[in-house]
Amino acid sequence: MRRIAVCPGSFDPVTLGHLDIITRASMLFDKVIVLISTNATKKEASFTATERMLMIAEATAHLDNVVIDILDGLLVDYVKRVQAVAIVKGLRAVSDFEYEFQMALTNKVLYAGAETVFLTTSQENMYLSSSVVKQIAYFNGDISPFVPACILEMIQQRLMKERGAFDDEY
Ligand code: PNS
């Protein structure tokens, strides 16, 4: 039986921290589906789901068993549909724990057929988040230490355009 894992997240945009988790998951499972999902507790995403998909596709092109999909609905419904055995999430410092613990337990009640597997974030990515990357890019800072090199330009251009639109408005 092929063991499928789903790696859900906002990926707005994908960072080296995400890529590290996706890469390590691809070594543990036969197939990994990176699932661009909506976090209803976060404000509107900066990148469209299609843009996020293109960026992840570029950054994971070298990983044969990784595919990308977009979810508009409940994670557990998708996991059940594709018969995944695991939901893989990266766990950073203590700040992530309570929220991730709550989601894992809730998902288990909604669907008991898959386990949430936490991979500890590598030490160098412990502090990294998409929102920090966006803050730096917004003020024209260097985001190259934080995002995959192949999509650096894509992210910078897109966020600069966003800032241009904001400046034009005010
Ligand atoms: O990268 P994030 O924002 O921490 O990821 C959270 C995400 C998108 C995985 C979570 O919000 C999610 O699973 N959204 C899909 C909708 C859903 O199933 N929500 C219930 C979670 S208990």
Side-chain angles (χ1 to χ4, degrees):
M1 190 186 113
R2 274 167 51 102
R3 302 185 80 75
I4 301 173
V6 171
C7 193
S10 307
F11 306 110
D12 186 41
V14 67
T15 67
L16 287 177
H18 295 129
L19 191 57
D20 172 52
I21 298 295
I22 295 165
T23 305
R24 284 157 59 203
S26 77
M27 292 188 264
L28 294 172
F29 296 93
D30 297 316
K31 179 179 172 181
V32 173
I33 304 173
V34 180
L35 192 61
I36 298 161
S37 320
T38 304
N39 184 339
T41 65
K42 285 185 182 169
K43 65 178 175 60
E44 205 183 324
S46 300
F47 294 87
T48 66
T50 309
E51 284 172 329
R52 286 178 271 164
M53 189 166 184
L54 287 174
M55 287 190 280
I56 299 169
E58 187 80 27
T60 61
H62 59 294
L63 300 171
D64 288 345
N65 62 340
V66 172
V67 298
I68 306 134
D69 203 357
I70 297 171
L71 171 73
D72 184 17
L74 268 187
L75 174 62
V76 287
D77 291 340
Y78 184 93
V79 168
K80 194 173 172 180
R81 182 155 51 82
V82 299
Q83 295 185 312
V85 294
I87 296 166
V88 175
K89 298 232 62 188
L91 204 56
R92 289 170 301 190
V94 275
S95 54
D96 273 348
F97 182 76
E98 202 173 327
Y99 170 67
E100 293 294 348
F101 194 66
Q102 183 185 28
M103 275 200 295
L105 290 178
T106 309
N107 284 332
K108 190 76 181 175
V109 171
L110 293 173
Y111 176 58
E115 294 293 335
T116 296
V117 175
F118 291 115
L119 296 183
T120 314
T121 300
S122 302
Q123 225 167 324
E124 65 271 25
N125 299 319
M126 213 64 186
Y127 59 92
L128 197 49
S129 73
S130 298
S131 46
V132 163
V133 168
K134 281 187 281 191
Q135 282 257 2
I136 298 167
Y138 185 81
F139 294 110
N140 285 329
D142 178 17
I143 57 168
S144 62
F146 314 119
V147 298
C150 58
I151 58 165
L152 177 63
E153 209 169 308
M154 217 190 282
I155 297 177
Q156 271 168 337
Q157 281 185 358
R158 180 64 178 66
L159 289 174
M160 270 160 60
K161 218 195 291 173
E162 192 174 283
R163 175 162 190 183
F166 180 83
D167 287 347
D168 287 350
E169 230 174 271
Y170 294 93

